[in-house]
Amino acid sequence: MNIELNKYFLPEKEKKSKVDISLSGMLEVYIGHYFVSGEGGGAKNYWLTIYYDSDIDAYDEAVETVPSNIVAYVSSDYKWAFVLNEHSHKLRKDVSNYGISCISVPDFESEVLQCLHPDWLPYEFSGLLWIDDDFMDDENIPFDFDSFAIIDDGVCYLNPKHFSVAQFIKVMESIRS
């Protein structure tokens, strides 16, 4: 099952938030059991990491920033979020006033995303390099020497037919740094 990003990332009019508080303020202070990494403080990352732990005492304990507590990645402009399936309903409810388009995924490592029309993506995603590298694993596809030269140079890219959330975020952050 592939998730086509163009369905979620279509350019659209600016969504206005119905709240006057940062996402970290809402999730960490008002709701609790969350920690938002990457917001404020001059952070230059486009994706905020959302950690959640329902087992802590939200008044006395902090959410550990360990991979097992990551439940979502939210764009810093609050437009989009990749959310683990099992946390999707709760997080959608907790951020409903922000107008965030939530994309449910089984995990952040599986290559379930695809973008068949990268040129249709909004400006935020310009600069991403898309290379269909399937020729490297399928002997029935003609070898693409030009693409291989780029890949061999170590350039960060995405295969538009299949990539993971982790790969998407890594490539985005590499072009923003």
Side-chain angles (χ1 to χ4, degrees), residues 33-34 53 55-64:
H33 299 278
Y34 284 101
D53 186 348
D55 295 330
I56 65 165
D57 179 344
Y59 294 107
D60 295 327
E61 298 177 276
V63 176
E64 279 189 83

Side-chain angles (χ1 to χ4, degrees), residues 97-115:
N97 290 336
Y98 290 86
I100 298 171
S101 178
C102 293
I103 304 161
S104 295
V105 294
D107 59 67
F108 300 123
E109 300 299 326
S110 297
E111 293 184 2
V112 297
L113 302 177
Q114 66 180 15
C115 184

Side-chain angles (χ1 to χ4, degrees), residues 12-137:
E12 55 188 72
K13 292 181 180 178
E14 193 74 21
K15 295 179 185 176
K16 293 293 182 187
S17 169
K18 298 177 189 172
V19 293
D20 292 327
I21 186 171
S22 68
L23 187 63
S24 58
M26 177 63 77
L27 293 177
E28 294 174 18
V29 178
Y30 286 104
I31 296 173
H33 299 278
Y34 284 101
F35 177 74
V36 179
S37 176
E39 188 166 55
K44 58 183 175 180
N45 292 341
Y46 184 73
W47 294 99
L48 309 175
T49 306
I50 311 297
Y51 297 87
Y52 179 77
D53 186 348
S54 62
D55 295 330
I56 65 165
D57 179 344
Y59 294 107
D60 295 327
E61 298 177 276
V63 176
E64 279 189 83
T65 55
V66 295
S68 61
N69 284 342
I70 299 174
V71 297
Y73 292 96
V74 177
S75 63
S76 59
D77 55 10
Y78 306 157
K79 289 182 181 178
W80 302 285
F82 293 104
V83 186
L84 292 177
N85 288 340
E86 64 263 23
H87 295 279
S88 184
H89 179 73
K90 176 167 179 30
L91 189 71
R92 283 176 198 262
K93 184 178 131 224
D94 291 344
V95 301
S96 62
N97 290 336
Y98 290 86
I100 298 171
S101 178
C102 293
I103 304 161
S104 295
V105 294
D107 59 67
F108 300 123
E109 300 299 326
S110 297
E111 293 184 2
V112 297
L113 302 177
Q114 66 180 15
C115 184
L116 301 180
H117 302 283
D119 51 326
W120 294 359
L121 292 175
Y123 173 78
E124 292 89 344
F125 307 105
S126 63
L128 293 174
L129 179 60
W130 300 90
I131 299 174
D132 182 350
D133 64 3
D134 290 346
F135 67 90
M136 295 191 336
D137 297 321

